[in-house]
Amino acid sequence: MDTSVKICGVTMKNPVTVASGTFGSGMEYSQFVDLEKLGAVTTKGVAITPWEGNPTPRVAEVYGGMLNAIGLQNPGVDTFIERDLAFLEKVDTKVIVNVCGHSVKEYEECVERLADCDNVDLLEINVSCPNVKEGGIAFGTDPSSLNNITKAVKSKAKQPIIMKLSPNVTDITEMARAAVDGGADALSLINTITGMKIDIYRRAFALANKTGGMSGPAVKPVAIRMVHQVANAVDVPIIGMGGIMTAEDAIEFIMAGATAVSVGTSNFNDPTVTSKIVDGIEEFMKSQGIESLDEIRGCVK
């Protein structure tokens, strides 16, 4: 039985990684999870300079998940390399670094800074940040902007790039094609769905930012649908995410066409969930007589 998967020439021992922003950069969860059991660790978003993030409150619980408006708070790429990458260098797993920025230039500079880091296997480019220099339009919701930033990042990157797509669009396949046409080696989806919560007793928004990204099990049907659509529209590996709580959820994404899966919000509910999902996938394969995940990937047409 072979649980390994390959993304852009990088072999993961199993298809399970973590969604950026829900697992720190690995060190924070290392007391709860054997990081070497995971196919990869995906880090929290990192920018060329430190970001403070949004004002508090930044998190709110909702039915079937949560809202967050953290604002990609991070210490900047230099601290990340010295502290987090140095820690991960001692761990036998693949490393996917999530990159964020306010402008094309910031993305390029961060990618260039990471280019010579030997233990960075893949770069996941978060294109849900506002493009400040173009009037605040999110890169991930405009095909032309997405195509342009993909080309720019690809021209500077030494590692394969995974473009992380926003679900807040009319046609996810249009965005997927724009990213692939721009040179994306792989795609990850979905990012959070924009939502809002109002505290009726305070007569105020639950989040200081008013809106936030909704994640958790309630978004899984949307994520499955989008992964299936994209898998049938472009020919690059896909990392599927959105509401994965169990091994069965993960397998559903693989059957929809995902090569690998990211576990996000569930990490807050159960810090050991990723390990349980790895075990559950193996148990499912044994019980169903599946020798390789290739046998079931995209099997539902």
Side-chain angles (χ1 to χ4, degrees):
M1 188 181 69
D2 183 9
T3 62
S4 69
V5 299
K6 187 174 287 189
I7 296 179
C8 310
V10 176
T11 300
M12 295 165 52
K13 63 187 73 172
N14 61 62
V16 180
T17 184
V18 292
S20 177
T22 67
F23 205 76
S25 289
M27 186 188 305
E28 296 85 343
Y29 273 76
S30 59
Q31 296 181 48
F32 306 101
V33 178
D34 177 2
L35 300 182
E36 296 191 355
K37 190 171 181 175
L38 302 180
V41 170
T42 301
T43 71
K44 183 170 172 42
V46 60
I48 190 65
T49 57
W51 289 10
E52 292 185 358
N54 290 326
T56 59
R58 305 193 292 191
V59 177
E61 187 174 357
V62 296
Y63 295 128
M66 63 180 284
L67 291 173
N68 94 83
I70 303 301
L72 294 170
Q73 178 180 338
N74 74 91
V77 70
D78 289 337
T79 298
F80 170 79
I81 291 171
E82 293 170 9
R83 183 189 65 196
D84 300 303
L85 271 187
F87 170 81
L88 289 172
E89 193 168 11
K90 304 170 187 175
V91 180
D92 180 21
T93 190
K94 301 304 180 184
V95 175
I96 303 172
V97 176
N98 183 280
V99 176
C100 54
H102 292 109
S103 66
V104 172
K105 185 173 184 292
E106 288 187 10
Y107 280 97
E108 288 179 329
E109 289 177 350
C110 193
V111 165
E112 286 183 301
R113 184 72 178 84
L114 293 164
D116 295 322
C117 296
D118 293 335
N119 63 321
V120 175
D121 298 288
L122 298 158
L123 298 176
E124 181 182 61
I125 313 301
N126 186 342
V127 288
S128 299
C129 301
N131 181 3
V132 174
K133 291 189 176 181
E134 293 187 24
I137 298 172
F139 284 119
T141 58
D142 177 73
S144 177
S145 294
L146 176 58
N147 181 268
N148 289 337
I149 193 171
T150 304
K151 288 178 179 176
V153 170
K154 181 65 178 173
S155 70
K156 303 293 184 181
K158 288 188 178 178
Q159 299 90 345
I161 62 167
I162 307 163
M163 300 305 290
K164 187 169 185 178
L165 303 185
S166 169
N168 301 302
V169 296
T170 302
D171 184 356
I172 192 68
T173 63
E174 180 183 19
M175 307 308 298
R177 291 188 182 98
V180 172
D181 288 346
D185 299 294
L187 302 172
S188 62
L189 63 149
I190 60 172
N191 208 324
T192 54
I193 297 173
T194 306
M196 179 183 287
K197 181 177 181 179
I198 294 172
D199 185 329
I200 63 172
Y201 297 102
R202 290 173 48 238
R203 302 186 185 186
F205 296 105
L207 300 176
N209 196 57
K210 297 183 181 179
T211 61
M214 183 179 173
S215 60
V219 308
K220 195 189 82 171
V222 176
I224 291 288
R225 184 261 296 178
M226 289 192 171
V227 166
H228 181 264
Q229 286 180 303
V230 170
N232 284 281
V234 296
D235 187 23
V236 296
I238 295 168
I239 301 178
M241 65 192 78
I244 296 175
M245 304 285 285
T246 66
E248 289 78 9
D249 293 332
I251 292 161
E252 195 173 345
F253 273 91
I254 293 169
M255 288 187 176
T259 297
V261 295
S262 286
V263 182
T265 300
S266 188
N267 289 305
F268 301 134
N269 186 56
D270 176 5
T272 67
V273 68
T274 46
S275 181
K276 293 175 182 176
I277 290 173
V278 171
D279 290 340
I281 290 173
E282 292 180 1
E283 291 167 7
F284 178 82
M285 292 176 69
K286 288 177 183 176
S287 69
Q288 299 294 309
I290 298 167
E291 294 185 4
S292 167
L293 290 172
D294 291 338
E295 295 176 30
I296 60 170
R297 182 171 300 107
C299 65
V300 178
K301 300 297 183 182

